[in-house]
Amino acid sequence: MSVTSGNSRRLEQICAVAEQLFRDKGYLATSMRDIADAMNLRGGGSLYAHIKGKEDLLWHIANEATDAFFAALEAVCAQPAAPYERLRAAIIAHLLVITQHLGAAAVYFDEWRHLTEPRRSQFVARRDAYEKRFQALLEACIANGACRPIDTRLATLHLLSAMNAMRHWYKPHGRLSAQQVAEALADMLLHGL
Amino acid sequence: MSVTSGNSRRLEQICAVAEQLFRDKGYLATSMRDIADAMNLRGGGSLYAHIKGKEDLLWHIANEATDAFFAALEAVCAQPAAPYERLRAAIIAHLLVITQHLGAAAVYFDEWRHLTEPRRSQFVARRDAYEKRFQALLEACIANGACRPIDTRLATLHLLSAMNAMRHWYKPHGRLSAQQVAEALADMLLHGL
DNA sequence: CCAGCTGCCTAACGAACGTTTGTCGAGAGA
DNA sequence: TCTCTCGACAAACGTTCGTTAGGCAGCTGG
């Protein structure tokens, strides 16, 4: 994973700080000196004992996010359930991953395009595979009669992008818990306003 | 509008090119030299006969987008209609503005945060006002009984962010026309999957 | 025919960026 | 105690950025 040396505890700290800054200001607007400052280091150079370059941070965070989404989806699919219940569970699981990894979600949805090849293509391939799994869940619902026969491609694009848009307005420690927000959102997505 | 001189036809051309690049690569990743290149000019300096600075372009595009959204919403509200039909018309109008101004939409939703104060605050204020108008439309539907009594704040956030997420996947000249996509999306938002 | 304006060119500026390098103090192991 | 390792420090590197300045071609109105 492109680590140069030693203490991987420290690497996780750097990634956590970078995640927050990438979400707040964006990848390009975040300098190595910003990250160093946020860790109480005096110069950006100190970070290079732990990483090979700035893009390593982006790559590491992007993969963490991808892993989290896949893990949540596979946990849902591992359990026996009717197509509709499975889709609903997958939606809620996806939303909960976002609420728990807001920084990584920003990288996963917005900042990934600053990856250079070939990592960018690798990322996109994994992302596409995840979307196909979701589309299959939706098609199972329609085949089952649990959903209206709508355009599945359009519906999948809408469903995923609508879920992902949650990162723009969800605030932790708000009036509702993450679980409550996720359930309410799943309800609106499945049954409308 | 921060124009330094002369031909405002040329300014519009610059903005059109910048809009495209800001959408493709992001504001920070787009250099003045990139914009000049895309206009077949040989150096970034030539642009400064028409603008005062890079941020002027962002500001100009952001305002064009805001104006377009407000104009579409006011056209809908100017016509007499029941709350539900008015909400549906507003949704479709909003989606059509996005399909017709994909570059400006990218600035309106993503790149605006690179505006510096006080313009950033001015932009956010206008954006908030627009969102409040939409929330009022939704509340009218609930008061009317046309919609279920859901959490209006949550529903508004979801509705707006779900509509805006369309910019990530909509492609002009696709299988469906913009009008068809907008109507299908409005249907899914209002009635679920 | 010429004066003036407009728009683009070229070159350069200072600042900020990611990254590299050499140094040094603190702690661990023998 | 000596030695080795590790993380942080400070300074500097080459590049790219937004921006400025000066000059020059071509059109326009008198």
Side-chain angles (χ1 to χ4, degrees):
Chain A
M1 191 61 71
S2 303
V3 191
T4 51
S5 73
N7 194 343
S8 87
R9 175 93 177 77
R10 198 73 172 129
L11 175 65
E12 296 306 321
Q13 289 175 6
I14 297 174
C15 281
V17 165
E19 210 180 287
Q20 172 97 332
L21 288 172
F22 290 170
R23 171 167 149 83
D24 290 346
K25 316 203 301 173
Y27 175 72
L28 288 179
T30 302
S31 70
M32 297 302 280
R33 291 165 177 88
D34 287 337
I35 299 172
D37 269 7
M39 302 196 65
N40 289 325
L41 302 182
R42 308 215 195 243
S46 305
L47 298 168
Y48 286 82
H50 306 277
I51 59 173
K52 285 214 296 227
K54 188 185 184 186
E55 196 184 324
D56 274 19
L57 295 173
L58 195 63
W59 181 238
H60 191 92
I61 296 167
N63 281 321
E64 277 181 359
T66 307
D67 292 342
F69 283 121
F70 265 108
L73 181 58
E74 269 153 28
V76 165
C77 290
Q79 296 182 11
Y84 176 81
E85 275 70 28
R86 179 166 284 176
L87 176 62
R88 182 170 183 275
I91 291 173
I92 291 177
H94 184 98
L95 294 173
L96 286 178
V97 170
I98 294 177
T99 64
Q100 287 154 15
H101 304 79
L102 283 172
V107 169
Y108 187 80
F109 299 124
D110 288 330
E111 310 297 340
W112 62 268
R113 63 172 163 173
H114 298 117
L115 287 169
T116 58
E117 295 295 352
R119 301 207 267 207
R120 182 177 162 134
S121 294
Q122 290 174 31
F123 173 82
V124 170
R126 281 240 275 166
R127 197 152 137 66
D128 288 348
Y130 183 79
E131 295 189 9
K132 286 215 161 47
R133 300 269 315 250
F134 241 96
Q135 181 160 343
L137 254 51
L138 184 57
E139 282 164 356
C141 282
I142 295 174
N144 192 8
C147 285
R148 298 180 288 149
I150 46 183
D151 184 322
T152 56
R153 184 67 196 136
L154 199 62
T156 305
L157 288 169
H158 163 60
L159 175 59
L160 280 163
S161 67
M163 290 193 296
N164 297 342
M166 175 199 209
R167 73 188 182 281
H168 285 128
W169 51 264
Y170 173 76
K171 304 256 196 303
H173 318 301
R175 175 166 56 89
L176 302 172
S177 71
Q179 182 75 33
Q180 285 175 315
V181 173
E183 286 176 4
L185 219 49
D187 184 57
M188 285 191 281
L189 282 164
L190 291 168
H191 303 117
L193 297 174
Chain B
M1 193 63 67
S2 304
V3 192
T4 52
S5 74
N7 194 343
S8 86
R9 173 93 178 78
R10 199 68 173 133
L11 175 64
E12 296 304 322
Q13 289 177 5
I14 297 174
C15 281
V17 165
E19 211 180 287
Q20 173 98 330
L21 288 172
F22 291 169
R23 170 168 150 83
D24 289 346
K25 317 203 301 172
Y27 175 72
L28 289 179
T30 303
S31 70
M32 297 302 281
R33 290 165 176 89
D34 287 336
I35 299 173
D37 269 6
M39 301 197 66
N40 288 326
L41 303 182
R42 304 209 194 229
S46 304
L47 298 168
Y48 286 81
H50 307 278
I51 59 173
K52 285 214 296 228
K54 188 185 184 186
E55 196 184 324
D56 274 20
L57 295 173
L58 195 63
W59 181 238
H60 192 92
I61 296 167
N63 280 322
E64 278 180 358
T66 307
D67 292 344
F69 283 121
F70 265 108
L73 181 57
E74 269 153 27
V76 166
C77 290
Q79 296 183 10
Y84 176 82
E85 274 71 26
R86 179 166 286 175
L87 176 62
R88 180 169 184 277
I91 290 173
I92 291 176
H94 183 98
L95 293 174
L96 286 178
V97 170
I98 293 177
T99 64
Q100 288 154 15
H101 303 79
L102 282 173
V107 169
Y108 188 79
F109 299 124
D110 288 332
E111 310 296 340
W112 61 270
R113 62 172 164 174
H114 297 117
L115 288 169
T116 57
E117 297 294 352
R119 300 206 268 208
R120 181 178 163 134
S121 293
Q122 290 174 32
F123 173 82
V124 170
R126 281 239 274 167
R127 197 153 137 66
D128 288 348
Y130 183 79
E131 295 190 9
K132 284 213 163 47
R133 299 267 317 249
F134 242 95
Q135 181 160 344
L137 255 50
L138 184 57
E139 282 164 356
C141 282
I142 294 174
N144 193 7
C147 285
R148 298 178 290 150
I150 45 183
D151 184 322
T152 55
R153 185 65 195 136
L154 198 61
T156 305
L157 289 169
H158 163 60
L159 175 60
L160 281 163
S161 66
M163 290 192 298
N164 297 342
M166 174 200 211
R167 75 187 181 280
H168 286 128
W169 50 263
Y170 173 76
K171 304 257 194 305
H173 318 300
R175 176 166 54 90
L176 302 171
S177 72
Q179 182 75 32
Q180 286 174 314
V181 174
E183 287 176 3
L185 219 49
D187 183 56
M188 286 191 278
L189 282 164
L190 291 167
H191 302 118
L193 297 174

